[in-house]
Amino acid sequence: MTILDVNNLSISFGGLRAVSNFNLNLKKGELAGLIGPNGAGKTTLFNMLTGVYNPTEGDIYLTVGKEDKEKKKRLNGLAPYQIAQSGVSRTFQNIRLFKELTVLDNVKIAHHFNTKYNALQGVMRTTQFYKEEDALNEKALKLLEIFNLHNKAYEMAKNLPYGEQRKLEITRALATNPRLLLLDEPAAGMNPQESLELMELIRRLRSEFDLTIFLIEHHMQVVMGVCDHMYVLDYGVTIAHGDPASIQKNPKVIEAYLGVD
């Protein structure tokens, strides 16, 4: 069963065609990678999938609903918050935390559309408000514990080391209860040991949260080590897709990264 169907997705900015006829069928539980040289259109593709950009052409369909009542939902034209509510969450190439909030509040804020009290109950501090807030705190702390950040729950996000800020951003994405998680260069800026730990963490997240994961990554050890399937973009065009072993040997991929003599 596919959870994400992308058909002939394209986008142009003026006369520049940034992504051209991209196709993708992500199966439930799959861990897929997207690679390509700088400027290939990878983040632009993520921006289309999450509603930041509206595609010029093509369609995006997400499988939503419970197993016995699943259906395809078209994501084209939806706002980012509507896509997040549908079950797609993401991280960013450049970290976008609420740096003046605590670590805990960064996670809690991502869960806001799942709360069951209204604005009036929040102002009046009703029993329902406190019940929901207690449950939200508990869930956020459990998520932070997975990333070994629970001991820093009340620190300001801006005071975390870079690697932990990356982990916090992934934690915040998980707080939306996604079906599909998009990771934009999660290993960027991490040292070799942190990158190895990240590989294990990504595998664990897929298993424990029943997630489908699609990631962009320049760190070849990470992307080759965790992905079942890979797609390669060059100047917005898909030049290869397949398992990691075949991608490593593909002449078009080698040429795109290293050039030819």
Side-chain angles (χ1 to χ4, degrees), residues 1-66:
M1 184 198 75
T2 59
I3 194 167
L4 182 69
D5 294 291
V6 179
N7 303 312
N8 298 316
L9 203 65
S10 303
I11 190 168
S12 298
F13 299 100
L16 174 66
R17 198 168 177 86
V19 177
S20 181
N21 298 318
F22 184 82
N23 291 281
L24 171 71
N25 297 106
L26 273 184
K27 296 178 181 178
K28 184 177 180 181
E30 187 174 3
L31 208 170
L34 179 66
I35 66 171
N38 288 330
K42 303 182 297 297
T43 296
T44 299
L45 175 63
F46 267 32
N47 285 339
M48 286 191 285
L49 297 179
T50 55
V52 178
Y53 296 152
N54 197 26
T56 307
E57 301 170 19
D59 297 295
I60 308 166
Y61 289 96
L62 179 73
T63 301
V64 299
K66 297 182 179 180

Side-chain angles (χ1 to χ4, degrees), residues 62-98:
L62 179 73
T63 301
V64 299
K66 297 182 179 180
E67 289 189 8
D68 57 337
K69 295 182 179 180
E70 288 180 332
K71 62 180 181 178
K72 300 288 185 182
K73 180 176 183 178
R74 192 170 186 262
L75 300 185
N76 297 58
L78 297 183
Y81 78 90
Q82 293 172 314
I83 293 176
Q85 289 176 345
S86 299
V88 181
S89 192
R90 71 172 293 183
T91 64
F92 294 87
Q93 182 177 1
N94 298 314
I95 295 173
R96 298 186 185 181
L97 295 174
F98 299 103

Side-chain angles (χ1 to χ4, degrees), residues 117-258:
Y117 62 81
N118 57 37
L120 180 60
Q121 289 173 319
V123 171
M124 299 299 293
R125 295 297 195 268
T126 63
T127 301
Q128 179 67 20
F129 166 80
Y130 284 111
K131 181 180 178 181
E132 286 290 314
E133 283 295 304
D134 287 344
L136 184 54
N137 270 328
E138 183 178 355
K139 177 181 178 180
L141 287 169
K142 284 183 178 179
L143 286 173
L144 288 170
E145 189 170 1
I146 293 172
F147 293 83
N148 293 318
L149 293 173
H150 56 293
N151 292 327
K152 298 184 178 181
Y154 299 100
E155 290 189 21
M156 302 298 287
K158 66 181 179 181
N159 295 332
L160 293 181
Y162 183 86
E164 290 186 345
Q165 289 191 25
R166 280 277 175 202
K167 291 179 180 179
L168 177 56
E169 194 173 38
I170 298 174
T171 311
R172 184 178 62 183
L174 289 174
T176 66
N177 295 321
R179 304 189 75 186
L180 172 63
L181 178 63
L182 307 180
L183 302 175
D184 194 345
E185 297 196 37
M190 290 188 174
N191 61 45
Q193 180 58 38
E194 288 174 329
S195 296
L196 289 174
E197 292 173 358
L198 178 68
M199 289 171 61
E200 293 303 317
L201 183 59
I202 290 173
R203 294 191 189 101
R204 181 183 170 192
L205 293 179
R206 173 171 65 166
S207 174
E208 290 189 12
F209 290 87
D210 193 25
L211 286 172
T212 304
I213 300 175
F214 190 32
L215 63 89
I216 295 171
E217 188 52 68
H218 283 292
H219 195 305
M220 288 299 110
Q221 184 181 9
V222 172
V223 73
M224 293 287 178
V226 301
C227 291
D228 307 315
H229 199 92
M230 295 176 61
Y231 295 79
V232 188
L233 279 183
D234 191 28
Y235 294 107
V237 176
T238 305
I239 60 171
H241 65 87
D243 61 85
S246 66
I247 293 297
Q248 280 183 306
K249 301 172 184 176
N250 190 295
K252 290 184 178 180
V253 177
I254 295 170
E255 179 180 346
Y257 273 95
L258 301 178

